[in-house]
Amino acid sequence: MLTKNMKTIVFWLISLPLFYTLCGFVILPWWVRTQLPSLLHEKVGILLSVEHVRFNPFTFEVNLESLALLDSNATKALSIGHVYLNYDPSALFKKEFSIKAVHIDNPDIDLSLDQEGSLKLLKLFPNTQTQEQENNASETTTSLTMPLIVKHVEIHNAHTLFQDPRGEHPFQFEIGPISYTADNLSFYKDDLSLHAIKAVLQNEEKLSIASSLIIEPLIFYGELNLTKLPLSTLWGYTLSALPAKLSKGDLTLRIPFWIDLSKNSPSVLIEKGSLLVENTEFTDANQSVIQIPSLKLDGIDFDLQASHVTIAEASLTQPNIRLQLEKAYHVNFERLFTPASKTNPTDKNTATSSSSTTSSPWSFALRRLYVDSARVHVVDQNVKSSPIDCAPLSLIVDNITNDTHQTIAFDLNGTIDKEASLKLKGTFLPARSSLDMRIVADTLSLEKTQPYLKPFTTALIQDGYVSLDTLLKASFDQQTKLDVQGDITVSKFSLADRFKTPLVAWESLNLSALSYTLDPEVMRIQKIMLDKPYVNLDIKKDHSTNFADLLVQQKAPPTTTHDQKSVSKESALTLFLGNISLKRGTAHFQDATLPIPFATFADNLNGSLSTLDTKSTKPSTLKIEGKVDKYGYAKIDSTLLPFDIKNHANLKIIFKNIAMPKLTPYSGKFVGYAIKEGKLSLDLNYKIKKGLMEGQNKINLDSLVLGEKIESEDALNLPLDLAIALLKDSKGQIDLDLPVSGDLNDPEFRYGSVVWKAIGNLIGGIVTSPFKLLGSLLGIEAENLQSIDFAAGEAVLIASEEEKMAQYRQILEKRSALKLLITPSYNETLDMQALKENNITAQIEQKLSKNSTEDAYARAVQKLFVQKYGDDAYGTLMKQCKEEQLDPPAINDRLIAKIAETVVIDPAVLHALAQKRAEAIVQKLAKSYNIAPERLIKQEVQAVDAQRESWIGCAISISN
C-alpha cells in the first residue's frame, strides 16, 4: 500500500513538473500563437498575429516575436519586432503583481487617418462595451487590492508614421527611432518611478523627456526638451487655411513641468521654461514677408489652476519684415494670417460655451519684449510712392499683460531710409487708453508725404525735413485729451506747383516751446524763427494766381446750419504765438495781366512780429524792412490784429527811390503811357476797420518824364501832359496827397488796381472834375461849380447862383486859355409837371373873376373838370371823395390832378426851356461879369436827373 502510494506520489511529482514544463514551453506558446488570435477575432474582432512565442515556466520569461495588429486588409497597423517580459511570482507573497523587466524592440505604429479624418488604428478596437460594463469595469479597477509593480521597462527603436491623405497635398510625419526607459513603475502610494524618452523626428534626434512619476496619487514631473524641430511641414498641415506659408523654421523647446492629477482640479505647472525658434521665414506667393533669425522666450511660467502664463523675456534678433499697405490700407498680415475659409458656426458656439464654463479668466504677462536690429520694409500699394526702409530698429517693451490696469513701458529707436532717426519712449495704460510718450525725430523727410497729399493739393513738396523733440500725453477714455509740448524744426523746405515752379521755400523754420492741448483746444508757441524764406507770387493773364489752384475741390456732405454752428463752436482754437522773427527773406512778384508783363523782387528782408494772441485785443507790432529791386528801399511799421486784419489794422509803409520805369506795365495799363524817367517815393498810411480800408498816401514823383503811348483797354483817356505841367514845381517835384479806399471783403479787391485807379482818378479829375483841381491850385471853393441850378419849369437865375458867377470869372481870369462849356438841361419829370401845373393855373385864373373867393376858386376848378370829363365823372369822383371824407382843399387837389392828366406838353417846349436857361447864364456872365462871349460855349441840350429832387442843374465844365 505504501509502495503504491509512493508510486502515485512519484508519478505526480514527475508528471506535474513534466506537464507544467510541457505546458510552459510548448502548449502555452502554441495556444498563444495559434488559438489566441482566432479567439480575439471571434470575440472582439481584433486581428492579431504572432510568429514566435517562447515562455520559460521556471524563470517566467516571455518572448514574443513579430507581434502585429492587422486591419481588415491584413495590413499591419501596429507591429512589434520583439517583446520580452520577466514576471516575478514571488511578489505574490507580498500581495503584489511584479514584473522585473519589460523590453520592447522595434515597435512600429501606423497613425494614418482615413478620408473622414478618423484614426485607422482606433477602428481596430470596436467599442462594444455597454455603459453598465464600463461602470463595472470602473468599480473593478478601483477595487483592485494587488498593486502592479514594473521594475524596469525599455522600448528600443520604436517608429510611428502619421499620414493624412486629405487635402491638396497629402501629409506625413515620421517619428523614430524612439527609445523609452522606466524604473520602479509602481502603483504603491507615493512610490516614485523614473522615466526617460528620446525620439528622432524627421531623421534627427529632436525630442527627449526625463521625468518622475507617482501613480498613486497620479503625479509626474520632469523636463521636456525638443531640439530644432522643423516647423514648415507642421505649419503647412495644421494651418494650411492661412495664405501665409512658413518656408522654414526650427523649434527648440525646454519645458520643466509638474503635473498633478490626483485632485478634482488638475494642476499643471511649468517653471522657467524656454523656447527658441530659429531661421523662421514666412512667404507670400514665394516672396519673403517675414524673416526672423531668432525668436527666444525665456522664463516661461505656466499655472493651470491659477490660469496664469508669465514670460520673463521675449527677444527677436534681426527680424526682417515686409509690410504692405494693400487696398483700403489693409495690412498684408491681416490677409496672410486670416484663414481663407469661414469659421463654422458650430465652432463659434463651442468656443462660446467653453469660454463660459471657464472658472476664472486667464492672465498673461510678458515682462520684457526686446527686438534687436529689426528691419521693416513698408510698401504702400494705394499710392505711387517709394518704399520706406526702417532699419535698424530696436524696441524694448516692458510689462505686456492683459491686466489693463498695468502700465506698459516702451522704448523704440530706429533709422528711417538711412538718414532720418526716430525715438519713441513712454508708457501706455490700457484701462484709460492713456499714452505718455517722448518723441525725438531727426530729419524726417517731408517729401515722402507727397503721394498722400495728392488727393488734396496739386502742390509738390520737393524737399523738406522735420526734426522734433516733443512730449505727448494723450487719453482716449471717455473724452479724448491731448497735450503736446516740445520744439519742432522744418528745414530746407521747398514747395512747388504742378509744373515744379517754386512757390514757397525756407532754410529753416524753428518753433520753440510749442504747446498744444485738445480740451480746451489751445496752441502756444513761445518763439518762431524763419530763416531765408522765399515766396514767389505770380498773377496770371486770367487774373488767377499761382496759389489759386493748389487745393483740390473735395466733395463734402451737406451739413445743416445746426451742425455748422456746433462744429464752429467746437473748433474754436485759442492761439498764442510769441515773438516771430524773419531773417534774409526773399520775394518775387510777377503780374502777367498787364499789357507789358511786370516783375520785381525784394531781398534781404528782415523783420519781426510781436505776440499774437487770439484771447487778447492788444494789437501786434509788425516791422519789416528790406531792399526792392536794385536800389529801392521798403519799410513796414504797423500795428494790427493778425487774426482779424479786416477788422483792425494800422499800416505804415515807406517806399523810397523806386525806379519808375519798372512801373511802366502798370502805368501803361491804367493811364496808357510808359514812364521814361523818374523816381517814386511813397509814405503810406492805411487804416482798416470792419473790412473797409482808408488810406492816406503821400506820393513824391521826382523828375517824371512820360514815354511812348501804350494801347490798353483799361487805360483812361487822360490829359497827362496838361496834368503834369500843372502839378510839377520848378524843381521837377510832384507832391500829391492821394487818398485811397477799398472793401477788403470784395473778392475782386486788388491793391495795385486801387492805387492806380486813384492816381487815374486824380489826373482824370482835370477832365471830369476840373474845378476841384483848379480850386486846390487857386485856393477857391470849387465844390459847387459843376452846375447852375434852376427851379422846375423856370429859366430865371436864382440868387444862390450869384456866388458861382464870381468864381467862374476868377478862374477864367487866372487861366486865360480856358473856356466855360455850358450845357442846356431839363428834367422831363419835374419840368413837365411844373409846366402842366402852370398851364392848369392859367386856365383856372381865366375862369375866376377879379373879386373871387375860395368858393369861387372851387367852382372854377369844378367847371374846368366838368369841361374835361363831364357831369357823370364829376358826380362819381365827388361820391368817392365823400366816402373818403376829404376836406375841400383835398377835393380841389384831386380834381386838379385829374385835369392834369388831360394836359399835353410838346417836348419842344422842354428843349426851348433848356436853351433859355443856358442863354440866361451866358447873358449874366457876359453883362454882369464882363466875360467875353467867345469863352462861353453852349453845348447840346441834355435831359438830366433832378438835384435834391427839386432843382435842375445846367452842367458847367472847362475846356482848353
Side-chain angles (χ1 to χ4, degrees), residues 441-473:
D442 186 33
T443 61
L444 293 178
S445 175
L446 290 174
E447 190 178 359
K448 292 286 186 178
T449 65
Q450 179 59 48
Y452 302 96
L453 300 177
K454 188 175 181 181
F456 309 102
T457 179
T458 60
L460 303 176
I461 298 179
Q462 295 184 310
D463 203 357
Y465 300 93
V466 174
S467 299
L468 56 90
D469 186 351
T470 60
L471 295 177
L472 170 66
K473 293 183 179 181

mmCIF file of all heavy atoms in Angstrom, residues 441-473:
data_model
loop_
_atom_site.group_PDB
_atom_site.id
_atom_site.type_symbol
_atom_site.label_atom_id
_atom_site.label_comp_id
_atom_site.label_asym_id
_atom_site.label_seq_id
_atom_site.Cartn_x
_atom_site.Cartn_y
_atom_site.Cartn_z
ATOM 1 N N ALA A 441 12.700 113.048 -33.159
ATOM 2 C CA ALA A 441 12.898 112.710 -34.569
ATOM 3 C C ALA A 441 13.904 113.670 -35.176
ATOM 4 O O ALA A 441 13.965 114.846 -34.797
ATOM 5 C CB ALA A 441 11.581 112.762 -35.340
ATOM 6 N N ASP A 442 14.665 113.157 -36.114
ATOM 7 C CA ASP A 442 15.668 113.981 -36.765
ATOM 8 C C ASP A 442 15.627 113.736 -38.270
ATOM 9 O O ASP A 442 15.697 112.593 -38.720
ATOM 10 C CB ASP A 442 17.061 113.649 -36.213
ATOM 11 C CG ASP A 442 18.135 114.579 -36.762
ATOM 12 O OD1 ASP A 442 17.826 115.758 -37.014
ATOM 13 O OD2 ASP A 442 19.277 114.124 -36.952
ATOM 14 N N THR A 443 15.470 114.829 -39.027
ATOM 15 C CA THR A 443 15.483 114.837 -40.498
ATOM 16 C C THR A 443 14.502 113.839 -41.100
ATOM 17 O O THR A 443 14.841 113.065 -41.993
ATOM 18 C CB THR A 443 16.909 114.576 -41.047
ATOM 19 O OG1 THR A 443 17.353 113.288 -40.610
ATOM 20 C CG2 THR A 443 17.877 115.653 -40.598
ATOM 21 N N LEU A 444 13.266 113.845 -40.603
ATOM 22 C CA LEU A 444 12.210 113.065 -41.257
ATOM 23 C C LEU A 444 11.852 113.749 -42.572
ATOM 24 O O LEU A 444 11.557 114.939 -42.608
ATOM 25 C CB LEU A 444 10.981 112.969 -40.368
ATOM 26 C CG LEU A 444 11.120 112.174 -39.066
ATOM 27 C CD1 LEU A 444 9.812 112.235 -38.294
ATOM 28 C CD2 LEU A 444 11.498 110.735 -39.337
ATOM 29 N N SER A 445 11.840 112.992 -43.656
ATOM 30 C CA SER A 445 11.620 113.575 -44.980
ATOM 31 C C SER A 445 10.148 113.910 -45.195
ATOM 32 O O SER A 445 9.269 113.049 -45.069
ATOM 33 C CB SER A 445 12.094 112.605 -46.062
ATOM 34 O OG SER A 445 11.786 113.105 -47.341
ATOM 35 N N LEU A 446 9.878 115.181 -45.519
ATOM 36 C CA LEU A 446 8.518 115.587 -45.874
ATOM 37 C C LEU A 446 8.157 115.176 -47.292
ATOM 38 O O LEU A 446 6.982 115.072 -47.632
ATOM 39 C CB LEU A 446 8.371 117.099 -45.718
ATOM 40 C CG LEU A 446 8.374 117.634 -44.286
ATOM 41 C CD1 LEU A 446 8.360 119.156 -44.302
ATOM 42 C CD2 LEU A 446 7.190 117.114 -43.499
ATOM 43 N N GLU A 447 9.166 114.961 -48.109
ATOM 44 C CA GLU A 447 8.914 114.570 -49.497
ATOM 45 C C GLU A 447 8.178 113.234 -49.565
ATOM 46 O O GLU A 447 7.430 112.970 -50.507
ATOM 47 C CB GLU A 447 10.246 114.490 -50.251
ATOM 48 C CG GLU A 447 10.096 114.319 -51.748
ATOM 49 C CD GLU A 447 11.431 114.299 -52.457
ATOM 50 O OE1 GLU A 447 12.473 114.432 -51.763
ATOM 51 O OE2 GLU A 447 11.445 114.156 -53.692
ATOM 52 N N LYS A 448 8.371 112.390 -48.536
ATOM 53 C CA LYS A 448 7.704 111.093 -48.503
ATOM 54 C C LYS A 448 6.189 111.231 -48.356
ATOM 55 O O LYS A 448 5.441 110.318 -48.693
ATOM 56 C CB LYS A 448 8.253 110.260 -47.347
ATOM 57 C CG LYS A 448 9.695 109.815 -47.517
ATOM 58 C CD LYS A 448 9.806 108.697 -48.530
ATOM 59 C CE LYS A 448 11.229 108.147 -48.584
ATOM 60 N NZ LYS A 448 11.348 107.024 -49.546
ATOM 61 N N THR A 449 5.730 112.384 -47.850
ATOM 62 C CA THR A 449 4.287 112.580 -47.666
ATOM 63 C C THR A 449 3.584 113.026 -48.943
ATOM 64 O O THR A 449 2.356 113.084 -48.975
ATOM 65 C CB THR A 449 4.027 113.619 -46.565
ATOM 66 O OG1 THR A 449 4.530 114.895 -46.994
ATOM 67 C CG2 THR A 449 4.721 113.223 -45.271
ATOM 68 N N GLN A 450 4.341 113.356 -49.974
ATOM 69 C CA GLN A 450 3.750 113.920 -51.190
ATOM 70 C C GLN A 450 2.656 113.044 -51.799
ATOM 71 O O GLN A 450 1.586 113.542 -52.153
ATOM 72 C CB GLN A 450 4.853 114.198 -52.218
ATOM 73 C CG GLN A 450 4.348 114.758 -53.543
ATOM 74 C CD GLN A 450 3.593 116.066 -53.367
ATOM 75 O OE1 GLN A 450 4.059 116.958 -52.685
ATOM 76 N NE2 GLN A 450 2.416 116.164 -53.962
ATOM 77 N N PRO A 451 2.852 111.729 -51.952
ATOM 78 C CA PRO A 451 1.787 110.918 -52.559
ATOM 79 C C PRO A 451 0.479 110.953 -51.781
ATOM 80 O O PRO A 451 -0.592 110.802 -52.359
ATOM 81 C CB PRO A 451 2.398 109.508 -52.565
ATOM 82 C CG PRO A 451 3.874 109.722 -52.522
ATOM 83 C CD PRO A 451 4.063 110.950 -51.684
ATOM 84 N N TYR A 452 0.550 111.179 -50.461
ATOM 85 C CA TYR A 452 -0.663 111.186 -49.658
ATOM 86 C C TYR A 452 -1.371 112.538 -49.719
ATOM 87 O O TYR A 452 -2.549 112.642 -49.364
ATOM 88 C CB TYR A 452 -0.308 110.842 -48.209
ATOM 89 C CG TYR A 452 0.375 109.495 -48.096
ATOM 90 C CD1 TYR A 452 1.759 109.405 -48.051
ATOM 91 C CD2 TYR A 452 -0.370 108.323 -48.075
ATOM 92 C CE1 TYR A 452 2.392 108.179 -47.979
ATOM 93 C CE2 TYR A 452 0.249 107.089 -47.996
ATOM 94 C CZ TYR A 452 1.638 107.022 -47.947
ATOM 95 O OH TYR A 452 2.244 105.809 -47.882
ATOM 96 N N LEU A 453 -0.669 113.566 -50.160
ATOM 97 C CA LEU A 453 -1.276 114.884 -50.306
ATOM 98 C C LEU A 453 -1.914 115.075 -51.675
ATOM 99 O O LEU A 453 -2.645 116.039 -51.893
ATOM 100 C CB LEU A 453 -0.221 115.974 -50.082
ATOM 101 C CG LEU A 453 0.470 115.982 -48.721
ATOM 102 C CD1 LEU A 453 1.539 117.061 -48.682
ATOM 103 C CD2 LEU A 453 -0.536 116.186 -47.604
ATOM 104 N N LYS A 454 -1.625 114.188 -52.602
ATOM 105 C CA LYS A 454 -2.093 114.348 -53.980
ATOM 106 C C LYS A 454 -3.603 114.479 -54.091
ATOM 107 O O LYS A 454 -4.098 115.282 -54.892
ATOM 108 C CB LYS A 454 -1.596 113.181 -54.829
ATOM 109 C CG LYS A 454 -1.854 113.355 -56.310
ATOM 110 C CD LYS A 454 -1.225 112.230 -57.118
ATOM 111 C CE LYS A 454 -1.465 112.422 -58.622
ATOM 112 N NZ LYS A 454 -0.872 111.328 -59.406
ATOM 113 N N PRO A 455 -4.422 113.736 -53.323
ATOM 114 C CA PRO A 455 -5.872 113.920 -53.441
ATOM 115 C C PRO A 455 -6.363 115.278 -52.956
ATOM 116 O O PRO A 455 -7.493 115.652 -53.231
ATOM 117 C CB PRO A 455 -6.438 112.788 -52.562
ATOM 118 C CG PRO A 455 -5.338 111.798 -52.425
ATOM 119 C CD PRO A 455 -4.076 112.610 -52.440
ATOM 120 N N PHE A 456 -5.512 116.018 -52.233
ATOM 121 C CA PHE A 456 -5.953 117.264 -51.621
ATOM 122 C C PHE A 456 -5.309 118.504 -52.224
ATOM 123 O O PHE A 456 -5.861 119.600 -52.103
ATOM 124 C CB PHE A 456 -5.663 117.240 -50.118
ATOM 125 C CG PHE A 456 -6.182 116.007 -49.438
ATOM 126 C CD1 PHE A 456 -5.319 114.970 -49.109
ATOM 127 C CD2 PHE A 456 -7.522 115.865 -49.145
ATOM 128 C CE1 PHE A 456 -5.791 113.823 -48.492
ATOM 129 C CE2 PHE A 456 -8.003 114.722 -48.528
ATOM 130 C CZ PHE A 456 -7.134 113.694 -48.207
ATOM 131 N N THR A 457 -4.165 118.363 -52.857
ATOM 132 C CA THR A 457 -3.471 119.531 -53.381
ATOM 133 C C THR A 457 -2.667 119.161 -54.619
ATOM 134 O O THR A 457 -2.225 118.015 -54.775
ATOM 135 C CB THR A 457 -2.528 120.134 -52.314
ATOM 136 O OG1 THR A 457 -1.855 121.259 -52.869
ATOM 137 C CG2 THR A 457 -1.512 119.122 -51.843
ATOM 138 N N THR A 458 -2.492 120.155 -55.488
ATOM 139 C CA THR A 458 -1.639 119.976 -56.664
ATOM 140 C C THR A 458 -0.210 120.405 -56.383
ATOM 141 O O THR A 458 0.660 120.252 -57.233
ATOM 142 C CB THR A 458 -2.197 120.785 -57.846
ATOM 143 O OG1 THR A 458 -2.226 122.183 -57.486
ATOM 144 C CG2 THR A 458 -3.602 120.327 -58.202
ATOM 145 N N ALA A 459 0.020 120.953 -55.199
ATOM 146 C CA ALA A 459 1.361 121.402 -54.845
ATOM 147 C C ALA A 459 2.283 120.202 -54.649
ATOM 148 O O ALA A 459 1.842 119.108 -54.284
ATOM 149 C CB ALA A 459 1.323 122.251 -53.582
ATOM 150 N N LEU A 460 3.561 120.437 -54.911
ATOM 151 C CA LEU A 460 4.559 119.374 -54.794
ATOM 152 C C LEU A 460 5.572 119.752 -53.720
ATOM 153 O O LEU A 460 6.175 120.824 -53.772
ATOM 154 C CB LEU A 460 5.287 119.171 -56.128
ATOM 155 C CG LEU A 460 4.420 118.845 -57.345
ATOM 156 C CD1 LEU A 460 5.282 118.780 -58.599
ATOM 157 C CD2 LEU A 460 3.666 117.544 -57.148
ATOM 158 N N ILE A 461 5.734 118.867 -52.747
ATOM 159 C CA ILE A 461 6.797 119.056 -51.758
ATOM 160 C C ILE A 461 8.072 118.468 -52.357
ATOM 161 O O ILE A 461 8.212 117.253 -52.489
ATOM 162 C CB ILE A 461 6.452 118.370 -50.432
ATOM 163 C CG1 ILE A 461 5.191 118.995 -49.828
ATOM 164 C CG2 ILE A 461 7.618 118.487 -49.448
ATOM 165 C CD1 ILE A 461 4.762 118.354 -48.522
ATOM 166 N N GLN A 462 8.979 119.347 -52.762
ATOM 167 C CA GLN A 462 10.192 118.896 -53.412
ATOM 168 C C GLN A 462 11.301 118.572 -52.432
ATOM 169 O O GLN A 462 12.217 117.810 -52.755
ATOM 170 C CB GLN A 462 10.678 119.965 -54.406
ATOM 171 C CG GLN A 462 9.710 120.176 -55.575
ATOM 172 C CD GLN A 462 10.254 121.165 -56.589
ATOM 173 O OE1 GLN A 462 10.679 122.256 -56.241
ATOM 174 N NE2 GLN A 462 10.249 120.766 -57.844
ATOM 175 N N ASP A 463 11.237 119.156 -51.275
ATOM 176 C CA ASP A 463 12.272 118.908 -50.276
ATOM 177 C C ASP A 463 11.746 119.364 -48.927
ATOM 178 O O ASP A 463 10.760 120.097 -48.848
ATOM 179 C CB ASP A 463 13.556 119.666 -50.639
ATOM 180 C CG ASP A 463 14.790 119.036 -49.997
ATOM 181 O OD1 ASP A 463 14.617 118.059 -49.245
ATOM 182 O OD2 ASP A 463 15.908 119.516 -50.243
ATOM 183 N N GLY A 464 12.397 118.927 -47.891
ATOM 184 C CA GLY A 464 11.998 119.358 -46.556
ATOM 185 C C GLY A 464 12.204 118.264 -45.537
ATOM 186 O O GLY A 464 12.006 117.069 -45.829
ATOM 187 N N TYR A 465 12.623 118.661 -44.349
ATOM 188 C CA TYR A 465 12.888 117.708 -43.277
ATOM 189 C C TYR A 465 12.305 118.249 -41.975
ATOM 190 O O TYR A 465 12.343 119.445 -41.708
ATOM 191 C CB TYR A 465 14.388 117.469 -43.120
ATOM 192 C CG TYR A 465 15.036 116.921 -44.363
ATOM 193 C CD1 TYR A 465 15.615 117.778 -45.297
ATOM 194 C CD2 TYR A 465 15.048 115.559 -44.626
ATOM 195 C CE1 TYR A 465 16.200 117.283 -46.447
ATOM 196 C CE2 TYR A 465 15.636 115.054 -45.774
ATOM 197 C CZ TYR A 465 16.206 115.919 -46.688
ATOM 198 O OH TYR A 465 16.784 115.426 -47.819
ATOM 199 N N VAL A 466 11.792 117.345 -41.174
ATOM 200 C CA VAL A 466 11.224 117.706 -39.878
ATOM 201 C C VAL A 466 12.081 117.077 -38.784
ATOM 202 O O VAL A 466 12.398 115.885 -38.837
ATOM 203 C CB VAL A 466 9.772 117.219 -39.743
ATOM 204 C CG1 VAL A 466 9.248 117.464 -38.334
ATOM 205 C CG2 VAL A 466 8.880 117.921 -40.746
ATOM 206 N N SER A 467 12.441 117.898 -37.824
ATOM 207 C CA SER A 467 13.103 117.414 -36.615
ATOM 208 C C SER A 467 12.294 117.914 -35.427
ATOM 209 O O SER A 467 11.815 119.055 -35.430
ATOM 210 C CB SER A 467 14.547 117.926 -36.536
ATOM 211 O OG SER A 467 15.309 117.461 -37.643
ATOM 212 N N LEU A 468 12.141 117.070 -34.431
ATOM 213 C CA LEU A 468 11.331 117.473 -33.295
ATOM 214 C C LEU A 468 11.768 116.744 -32.033
ATOM 215 O O LEU A 468 12.355 115.672 -32.077
ATOM 216 C CB LEU A 468 9.841 117.229 -33.571
ATOM 217 C CG LEU A 468 9.387 115.815 -33.965
ATOM 218 C CD1 LEU A 468 9.035 115.000 -32.743
ATOM 219 C CD2 LEU A 468 8.176 115.888 -34.892
ATOM 220 N N ASP A 469 11.455 117.372 -30.931
ATOM 221 C CA ASP A 469 11.659 116.791 -29.615
ATOM 222 C C ASP A 469 10.454 117.203 -28.788
ATOM 223 O O ASP A 469 10.364 118.333 -28.312
ATOM 224 C CB ASP A 469 12.965 117.299 -28.994
ATOM 225 C CG ASP A 469 13.284 116.594 -27.677
ATOM 226 O OD1 ASP A 469 12.421 115.849 -27.177
ATOM 227 O OD2 ASP A 469 14.397 116.804 -27.142
ATOM 228 N N THR A 470 9.492 116.285 -28.653
ATOM 229 C CA THR A 470 8.221 116.637 -28.033
ATOM 230 C C THR A 470 7.817 115.611 -26.994
ATOM 231 O O THR A 470 8.202 114.432 -27.056
ATOM 232 C CB THR A 470 7.104 116.742 -29.087
ATOM 233 O OG1 THR A 470 6.965 115.475 -29.751
ATOM 234 C CG2 THR A 470 7.408 117.803 -30.110
ATOM 235 N N LEU A 471 7.001 116.072 -26.066
ATOM 236 C CA LEU A 471 6.362 115.212 -25.083
ATOM 237 C C LEU A 471 4.878 115.149 -25.422
ATOM 238 O O LEU A 471 4.218 116.180 -25.561
ATOM 239 C CB LEU A 471 6.552 115.765 -23.672
ATOM 240 C CG LEU A 471 7.999 115.797 -23.154
ATOM 241 C CD1 LEU A 471 8.031 116.448 -21.779
ATOM 242 C CD2 LEU A 471 8.593 114.400 -23.090
ATOM 243 N N LEU A 472 4.377 113.928 -25.548
ATOM 244 C CA LEU A 472 2.980 113.718 -25.939
ATOM 245 C C LEU A 472 2.253 113.005 -24.811
ATOM 246 O O LEU A 472 2.688 111.954 -24.340
ATOM 247 C CB LEU A 472 2.904 112.886 -27.223
ATOM 248 C CG LEU A 472 1.524 112.378 -27.638
ATOM 249 C CD1 LEU A 472 0.630 113.545 -28.012
ATOM 250 C CD2 LEU A 472 1.622 111.392 -28.782
ATOM 251 N N LYS A 473 1.142 113.601 -24.395
ATOM 252 C CA LYS A 473 0.255 112.971 -23.433
ATOM 253 C C LYS A 473 -1.126 112.906 -24.061
ATOM 254 O O LYS A 473 -1.664 113.925 -24.482
ATOM 255 C CB LYS A 473 0.209 113.749 -22.122
ATOM 256 C CG LYS A 473 1.519 113.736 -21.341
ATOM 257 C CD LYS A 473 1.372 114.461 -20.012
ATOM 258 C CE LYS A 473 2.684 114.420 -19.228
ATOM 259 N NZ LYS A 473 2.553 115.106 -17.921
#
